[in-house]
Structures are given as structure tokens and as C-alpha cells.
């Protein structure tokens, strides 16, 4: 599978090749901050098949929490492009909203961190949900 995408202003563009490793809806509090209140939808792709094709993102990683996630975003418009999490090494977690065709996501295979879920968050019927990350 080949996925392409970009930030809101178009300065940062990417291409990801390979089979999706996971498709997740994350309701953790950190994702709520970065998404504007909702869950984050991510598609995990092999890091080896990922490359930026235009622009260069900035990175942010909280150092005051254990296993902080590195978030990469456009320095001009602020769009979050992806995350790199220690829990899933070798995988880039692409933000579905940045895909040129978000429908390529389909639906999540699981919903995680429901312990932080807000009452207005929707969990798709039939999708496994976990209070924390499984494993």
C-alpha cells in the first residue's frame, strides 16, 4: 500500500509504503490536547517505507513523562503529521487527517486509552476498546 499526505498548508509532504501495522483511535489525554479535544486517529506504517517528500517538520517530545512520544508537525501551519512512540518501535503513526485520501484508513482496529475518554467521544460498534494500550 502507498499512502501520501501533507500538512494543512502543504509545506510538509510525505509518502509511506508498506502494509499498515495498526489502525488506532486513541482517546488519551495527550491526544485530546493535540487534536483539539477529540481522539486521534492514526495508521501505523513501517518506518523504513516512510519519507518526507517536501519540507521538514519540527519535533516535540515531552521530557517530564515516561516514554514520551515524539510528535512531528509543520513549522508553518502547526499540523501534526505523525508520532513516534517507544511502545511501537520501527513504526510511524500517521495522523489520518493528513492523508491525501483519509478513507484509506477505513476504521480503527481498536480504541485505546478509554480511561481518558470524554462523554462526547464515539467508539465504533464492534471495535475492541481498552482502558490502556494492550500488551
Amino acid at each position: 500500500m502507498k499512502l501520501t499526505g501533507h500538512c494543512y498548508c502543504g509545506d510538509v509532504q510525505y509518502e509511506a509504503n508498506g502494509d499498515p501495522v495498526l489502525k488506532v483511535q486513541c482517546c488519551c489525554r495527550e491526544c485530546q490536547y493535540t487534536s483539539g479535544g477529540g481522539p486521534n486517529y492514526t495508521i501505523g506504517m513501517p518506518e523504513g517505507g516512510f519519507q518526507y517528500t517536501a519540507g521538514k517538520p519540527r519535533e516535540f517530545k515531552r521530557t517530564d513523562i515516561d516514554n514520551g512520544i515524539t510528535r512531528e508537525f509543520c513549522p508553518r501551519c502547526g499540523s501534526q503529521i505523525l508520532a513516534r512512540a517507544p511502545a511501537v518501535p520501527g513504526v510511524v503513526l500517521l495522523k489520518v487527517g493528513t492523508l491525501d485520501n483519509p478513507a484509506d484508513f477505513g476504521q480503527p482496529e481498536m480504541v485505546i486509552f478509554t480511561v481518558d475518554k470524554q462523554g462526547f467521544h464515539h467508539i465504533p460498534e464492534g471495535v475492541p476498546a481498552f482502558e490502556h494500550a494492550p500488551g
Side-chain angles (χ1 to χ4, degrees):
M1 170 180 258
K2 178 180 177 178
L3 299 174
T4 57
H6 62 279
C7 65
Y8 183 61
C9 72
D11 281 2
V12 179
Q13 299 174 23
Y14 64 84
E15 178 179 297
N17 292 286
D19 293 326
V21 177
L22 56 107
K23 296 177 181 182
V24 174
Q25 174 181 328
C26 183
C27 298
C28 79
R29 190 66 182 109
E30 289 80 10
C31 281
Q32 292 175 41
Y33 277 108
T34 63
S35 73
N40 245 322
Y41 297 89
T42 61
I43 183 167
M45 295 294 286
E47 187 174 43
F50 176 83
Q51 66 177 347
Y52 285 106
T53 56
K56 182 176 178 169
R58 291 197 56 198
E59 294 181 357
F60 175 78
K61 177 181 179 181
R62 284 185 56 183
T63 56
D64 62 325
I65 57 175
D66 291 336
N67 297 316
I69 292 172
T70 301
R71 300 178 190 279
E72 297 181 14
F73 58 95
C74 174
R76 181 172 172 216
C77 70
S79 296
Q80 188 180 172
I81 304 290
L82 63 80
R84 298 177 195 260
V88 283
V91 174
V92 292
L93 300 168
L94 298 174
K95 303 305 175 180
V96 172
T98 67
L99 294 174
D100 287 338
N101 184 13
D104 287 339
F105 178 70
Q107 76 166 15
E109 298 169 337
M110 70 177 87
V111 178
I112 59 174
F113 289 100
T114 60
V115 68
D116 294 330
K117 177 183 161 304
Q118 301 301 317
F120 52 85
H121 293 169
H122 172 72
I123 296 177
E125 191 173 320
V127 174
F130 303 91
E131 284 193 357
H132 299 278

